[in-house]
Amino acid sequence: MTLKVSRRRPLVAQSEIRNMTLECARVSGVNLAQGVCDLPVPDMVIKGAEEAMRAGTNTYTRFDGLPRFREAIAAKQKRHTGMDVDPESQVVASAGATGAFYAACLALLNEGDEVIVFEPYYGYHIVTMASLGITPVPIVLNPPNWDFSAEDLERAVTSKTRAMILNTPSNPAGKVFSREELERIADFAESHDIFVFTDEIYEHFVFDGHEHISPATLPGMGRRTITISGLSKVFAITGWRLGYAICDPEWALPIGHFSDLVYVCAPAPLQIGAAKGLEELGPDYYQSVSDDHQMKRDLFCAALQEIGLTPHVPDGAYYTLADVTSVPGRTAKERALYLLEKTGVACVPGSAFYSGPVGETLARFCFAKEMDALEDAMSRLRGLR
């Protein structure tokens, strides 16, 4: 017998996001590739975790998280979306939103199933499914509004369709799905009796008066929606790996069991720190996060426009997709590497977010940086003129 890796291995390679981060470090550049929010961590979040450690909260938790954390998530969900959530049976804490998504896929989908995804997509969603033998079926959203129709949905569905993924606000397009669009999706999901997995990690990064609507709050969507989010972005704690799924108790139990199998539990004292933030931070904090990133979006998109890298101005999240066809190179990856070598600014090739050729004309930039770093990046990019 010849020793070799599994059949899954070719499906899971280092993401372009992390690859460009490494390339950026090689040239000591400014990393606008990875979605790491540079906001300061709220003081009570850090103190809450420290106090929990000193108080002895350092051992395994229940598979779905500490009661205080689940209760804080449920209360926050009620305040921000109006959703009524039972913290005892409907909330599963996991290792980040990606961990919650992986556990949900393990619990609810089978090898050979198909899942509808909107392009541009978040790569981890696609790779997670591919590693489990699940086939993503793309629907390409049309800029500048990233539109789709009911006919687009119907063309994508087959007898193998079991779910669809909805990322709102979306990474990388920054699309905030409207109520009308969500109702279209809800009608489709009910008609074909499929799950809707949502990724709402950027729910507090919404601009220009747009409203984040949690799909589970729409009529008929409570039972079929797996709401996934986390604290990585809004509390700037990406390394803490704290996310969660909210869903019907029938789905929450197996999701929790698979999360337990893969991750055992989310870090115990960090759950307490995040719970303290959820309990004590009011509407002003979340509004300030949104306002700060809208200001940075405006500055950065204006700088891109100025140098001929026309941006798609996002309505939410903290990325912009920009047209890089004016940059030398045959592919998006070659153009991203050219930008890095010439300016020291790292971005992600648009091909990381598309299954077809559309992405070769685009690059994604993250503007969730401290102002000094963002101004440095803009100054470097202006050197292209």
Side-chain angles (χ1 to χ4, degrees), residues 9 12 117-119 130 174 242 268-269 296 326 344 354 356:
R9 177 63 186 93
V12 183
V117 299
F118 290 114
E119 287 191 359
L242 289 175
K296 290 174 180 175
S326 63
Y354 284 89

Side-chain angles (χ1 to χ4, degrees), residues 163-242:
M164 66 183 302
I165 297 174
L166 185 61
N167 182 199
T168 182
S170 75
N171 171 13
K175 177 179 176 62
V176 178
F177 284 76
S178 68
R179 184 173 295 277
E180 179 184 356
E181 290 171 323
L182 294 177
E183 288 172 348
R184 188 182 310 154
I185 289 168
D187 290 343
F188 172 77
E190 185 170 4
S191 173
H192 294 281
D193 193 24
I194 61 174
F195 286 111
V196 176
F197 293 81
T198 72
D199 182 340
E200 302 175 43
I201 194 73
Y202 298 102
E203 59 192 306
H204 298 293
F205 298 81
V206 181
F207 315 134
D208 302 325
H210 287 276
E211 177 189 10
H212 170 70
I213 300 166
S214 195
T217 62
L218 271 64
M221 289 295 285
R223 177 165 166 74
R224 69 178 65 256
T225 303
I226 313 301
T227 302
I228 295 170
S229 193
L231 291 312
S232 290
K233 311 300 184 181
V234 75
F235 288 170
I237 50 173
T238 55
W240 286 25
R241 310 313 304 136
L242 289 175

Side-chain angles (χ1 to χ4, degrees), residues 309-337:
L309 303 182
T310 304
H312 292 288
V313 180
D315 293 328
Y318 49 55
Y319 310 97
T320 181
L321 284 172
D323 184 333
V324 290
T325 52
S326 63
V327 175
R330 294 168 299 171
T331 65
K333 181 63 175 288
E334 289 181 2
R335 291 169 178 139
L337 290 172

Side-chain angles (χ1 to χ4, degrees), residues 1 12 34 38 68 88 125 151 167 181 215 254 309 347 363 383:
M1 183 180 74
V12 183
Q34 196 163 11
D38 279 353
R68 182 177 173 185
E88 185 64 19
H125 294 156
E151 291 73 25
N167 182 199
E181 290 171 323
L309 303 182
C347 59

Side-chain angles (χ1 to χ4, degrees), residues 9-302:
R9 177 63 186 93
L11 301 172
V12 183
Q14 180 171 259
S15 75
E16 283 288 12
I17 297 169
R18 295 195 181 278
N19 182 56
M20 290 304 296
T21 294
L22 293 175
E23 292 289 340
C24 183
R26 179 178 59 80
V27 300
S28 300
V30 182
N31 186 4
L32 301 190
Q34 196 163 11
V36 177
C37 184
D38 279 353
L39 286 173
V41 180
D43 193 50
M44 78 279 293
V45 173
I46 292 177
K47 287 183 177 178
E50 181 182 1
E51 290 167 1
M53 291 178 197
R54 296 190 183 283
T57 308
N58 298 302
T59 57
Y60 300 130
T61 76
R62 202 174 87 169
F63 70 93
D64 53 359
L66 290 167
R68 182 177 173 185
F69 187 42
R70 287 183 279 108
E71 288 163 7
I73 291 167
K76 175 256 185 186
Q77 201 71 13
K78 177 66 174 178
R79 289 194 305 271
H80 288 277
T81 70
M83 191 189 305
D84 286 313
V85 176
D86 178 3
E88 185 64 19
S89 64
Q90 289 185 266
V91 179
V92 179
S94 189
T98 51
F101 177 68
Y102 184 50
C105 288
L106 286 168
L108 303 178
L109 301 176
N110 297 309
E111 187 173 359
D113 286 345
E114 294 180 354
V115 175
I116 295 171
V117 299
F118 290 114
E119 287 191 359
Y121 50 64
Y122 176 52
Y124 272 83
H125 294 156
I126 302 302
V127 175
T128 294
M129 291 189 295
S131 72
L132 297 174
I134 299 160
T135 302
V137 178
I139 293 175
V140 179
L141 298 175
N142 301 307
N145 297 320
W146 309 102
D147 296 324
F148 69 98
S149 66
E151 291 73 25
D152 292 329
L153 295 171
E154 293 297 335
R155 279 192 293 269
V157 73
T158 75
S159 61
K160 296 181 179 180
T161 305
R162 285 266 292 157
M164 66 183 302
I165 297 174
L166 185 61
N167 182 199
T168 182
S170 75
N171 171 13
K175 177 179 176 62
V176 178
F177 284 76
S178 68
R179 184 173 295 277
E180 179 184 356
E181 290 171 323
L182 294 177
E183 288 172 348
R184 188 182 310 154
I185 289 168
D187 290 343
F188 172 77
E190 185 170 4
S191 173
H192 294 281
D193 193 24
I194 61 174
F195 286 111
V196 176
F197 293 81
T198 72
D199 182 340
E200 302 175 43
I201 194 73
Y202 298 102
E203 59 192 306
H204 298 293
F205 298 81
V206 181
F207 315 134
D208 302 325
H210 287 276
E211 177 189 10
H212 170 70
I213 300 166
S214 195
T217 62
L218 271 64
M221 289 295 285
R223 177 165 166 74
R224 69 178 65 256
T225 303
I226 313 301
T227 302
I228 295 170
S229 193
L231 291 312
S232 290
K233 311 300 184 181
V234 75
F235 288 170
I237 50 173
T238 55
W240 286 25
R241 310 313 304 136
L242 289 175
Y244 52 86
I246 299 173
C247 55
D248 186 275
E250 185 175 352
W251 320 132
L253 187 62
I255 290 171
H257 286 165
F258 275 105
S259 182
D260 179 29
L261 173 67
V262 179
Y263 307 108
V264 181
C265 64
L270 306 188
Q271 291 185 50
I272 297 298
K276 193 170 178 66
L278 290 171
E279 292 160 355
E280 296 186 12
L281 291 167
D284 288 349
Y285 173 79
Y286 296 98
Q287 188 61 52
S288 70
V289 167
S290 178
D291 291 346
D292 180 64
H293 285 80
Q294 180 171 328
M295 178 268 293
K296 290 174 180 175
R297 176 206 66 175
D298 292 344
L299 287 172
F300 187 68
C301 285

